[in-house]
C-alpha cells in the first residue's frame, strides 16, 4: 500500500487531482447544457403557475375574504414552489416561483381579480 509521501514522490496524487478537476468541469458543463435546454419550458411553466397562483389567491383573499395563508389550500398539486405575498393597500396578490417568474393579480371592483399583463 502506497503512503501519501510515496504518492507525492511518484506523482500519483497529481493524476487524481487532474481527473477530479476534469470530472468537475464536465459535470458543470453538463448542468449548464441541461439548464439551457430546459430553460424555456421551465420558464413557461413557472409563468403559468405563478399567474394561476396570483389569480386564485387574489380571489380567495379579496373576493371570498379569507386569510392569505388559507388560500394555499386552493392550489393544485405540484404548486409547492409558488410563494405568495400581498399588498393590502393596492388589494393585490403576487405569486412567485423563485428565479423563474412573478405575476400579480389586483382586485378591481366589478371585475374581480385581474392579472397584470404578462412580462414574458
Amino acid at each position: 500500500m502506497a503512503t501519501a509521501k510515496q504518492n507525492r514522490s511518484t506523482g500519483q496524487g497529481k493524476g487524481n487531482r487532474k481527473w477530479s478537476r476534469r470530472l468537475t468541469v464536465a459535470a458543470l458543463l453538463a448542468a449548464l447544457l441541461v439548464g439551457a435546454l430546459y430553460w424555456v419550458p421551465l420558464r413557461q411553466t413557472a409563468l403559468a403557475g405563478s399567474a394561476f397562483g396570483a389569480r386564485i389567491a387574489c380571489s380567495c383573499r379579496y373576493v371570498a375574504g379569507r386569510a392569505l395563508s388559507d388560500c394555499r389550500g386552493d392550489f393544485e398539486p405540484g404548486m409547492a414552489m409558488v410563494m405568495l405575498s400581498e399588498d393590502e393597500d393596492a388589494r393585490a396578490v403576487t405569486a412567485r416561483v423563485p428565479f423563474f417568474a412573478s405575476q400579480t393579480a389586483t382586485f378591481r371592483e366589478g371585475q374581480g381579480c385581474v392579472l397584470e399583463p404578462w412580462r414574458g
Side-chain angles (χ1 to χ4, degrees), residues 33-98:
L33 178 64
V34 168
L37 289 173
Y38 289 101
W39 175 257
V40 172
L42 285 173
R43 171 94 167 120
Q44 291 171 343
T45 301
L47 278 169
S50 61
F52 178 83
R55 170 67 176 74
I56 294 298
C58 178
S59 295
C60 169
R61 177 73 180 102
Y62 295 107
V63 175
R66 294 167 32 208
L68 188 63
S69 59
D70 185 42
C71 297
R72 291 195 69 79
D74 296 344
F75 283 5
E76 293 293 321
M79 292 185 65
M81 291 200 56
V82 176
M83 299 171 20
L84 299 173
S85 62
E86 72 176 308
D87 180 350
E88 288 186 46
D89 294 334
R91 296 175 80 173
V93 173
T94 300
R96 290 180 179 81
V97 176

